[in-house]
Amino acid sequence: MLTVSKLSASYGAIQAVRGIDLQVKAGSLCVVLGSNGAGKSTTLRSIAGLHRPVSGSISLDGAEISRLPLHKVVRSGLALVPEGRMVVAPLTVEENLGLSAFAGRNADPELLDKVYTLFPRLAERRLQKAGLLSGGEQQMLAIGRALMTRPQMLVLDEPSMGLAPSIVDLVFQAIVALHREGQSILLVEQNAAIALSVCDYGYVMRRGQIVVEGTPDALKQNPEVLEAYLS
Ligand code: ATP
């Protein structure tokens, strides 16, 4: 289980995240909604060890991870799929998937198979340079690369960004399949309709704070969520 408590994060004088609490239970799929600049990415980057929070605690199965360097966060079982994918353009699909060996594990053929089963398009393009993939394929590769670390907690930052609706569906089908297998997932998403159709629990951020939280059914009926995100 991932537990975030009283997390605050800043960029100089800008307070991007102001004392938020959230939890992702083992095996659940949690979503964080919110408009541009609400602090969602900063929250994820802080959780993943990419941004040092000002205060608060982040624990994974009871172990504090908020002060760990990135590679140790990965080793503790948390993997981030960053906004903008960040695949290594000159390397092939398979070389990108092998990069997770940096986390101290060799690219496991069984895991590679699992990624290729989840995303047959990546299997078809395994020798293609990542920079030549479509945006959707790059998103699949970024998810696949995170899965190669066998994460206990998979954290995704706006996987639908910039993708055509049919590709968003493919990416979300994979997220749902992972969730069904028991993968714990924390997802930041601007597309509230699709996020609320797949999650177990959701949080809504505004100006660095969580302003509403609840089950997807409750959130879909919340007037604030309806007006801001589902109209
Ligand atoms: P978006 O959906 O647009 O990515 P977000 O909810 O993820 O938005 P953040 O990216 O976390 O929001 O930004 C929260 C606040 O922090 C915003 O006011 C933003 O301008 C500011 N911010 C984000 N990154 C930086 C940075 N590197 N330097 C300074 N300010 C930043």
Side-chain angles (χ1 to χ4, degrees):
M1 177 159 92
L2 176 72
T3 307
V4 172
S5 46
K6 299 191 172 59
L7 179 73
S8 293
S10 299
Y11 301 96
I14 299 170
Q15 281 189 282
V17 177
R18 300 158 186 255
I20 67 164
D21 294 320
L22 66 84
Q23 270 196 356
V24 186
K25 299 208 166 89
S28 74
L29 197 175
C30 262
V31 67
V32 180
L33 303 173
S35 49
N36 286 329
K40 307 179 298 297
S41 293
T42 306
T43 299
L44 288 203
R45 290 167 52 78
S46 303
I47 290 172
L50 288 171
H51 186 80
R52 181 59 58 98
V54 173
S55 57
S57 126
I58 302 165
S59 69
L60 192 58
D61 280 345
E64 182 66 31
I65 59 169
S66 64
R67 309 281 150 192
L68 295 182
L70 178 62
H71 68 282
K72 290 209 172 144
V73 173
V74 175
R75 211 168 281 179
S76 75
L78 188 141
L80 174 72
V81 181
E83 191 174 336
R85 276 75 93 166
M86 308 294 176
V87 299
V88 183
L91 298 186
T92 65
V93 165
E94 196 140 306
E95 285 165 344
N96 267 272
L97 291 174
L99 288 174
S100 57
F102 90 97
R105 305 170 178 94
N106 292 323
D108 172 343
E110 242 174 71
L111 269 178
L112 205 52
D113 258 8
K114 180 183 159 173
V115 170
Y116 286 151
T117 306
L118 189 65
F119 296 119
R121 282 188 184 217
L122 293 184
E124 288 160 22
R125 292 160 176 76
R126 42 190 281 273
L127 301 178
Q128 185 167 313
K129 300 236 185 297
L132 300 176
L133 298 174
S134 70
E137 290 159 357
Q138 289 190 6
Q139 184 62 62
M140 293 172 197
L141 179 54
I143 296 173
R145 193 175 55 188
L147 291 174
M148 293 299 289
T149 67
R150 212 187 279 284
Q152 191 185 324
M153 183 68 54
L154 180 66
V155 179
L156 298 128
D157 198 354
E158 303 219 16
S160 76
M161 185 142 78
L163 304 182
S166 62
I167 307 295
V168 172
D169 284 347
L170 272 183
V171 168
F172 269 84
Q173 277 166 24
I175 291 169
V176 167
L178 288 168
H179 176 42
R180 286 217 184 99
E181 284 172 16
Q183 175 71 57
S184 310
I185 301 173
L186 174 61
L187 173 77
V188 154
E189 188 47 67
Q190 291 241 4
N191 185 333
I194 196 159
L196 292 176
S197 72
V198 299
C199 72
D200 301 317
Y201 200 79
Y203 296 89
V204 181
M205 283 188 79
R206 192 185 335 117
R207 294 194 195 139
Q209 292 180 309
I210 288 170
V211 288
V212 188
E213 64 174 270
T215 61
D217 285 343
L219 290 180
K220 280 181 215 163
Q221 284 161 23
N222 181 293
E224 180 161 355
V225 176
L226 272 173
E227 190 187 335
Y229 307 107
L230 295 172
S231 51

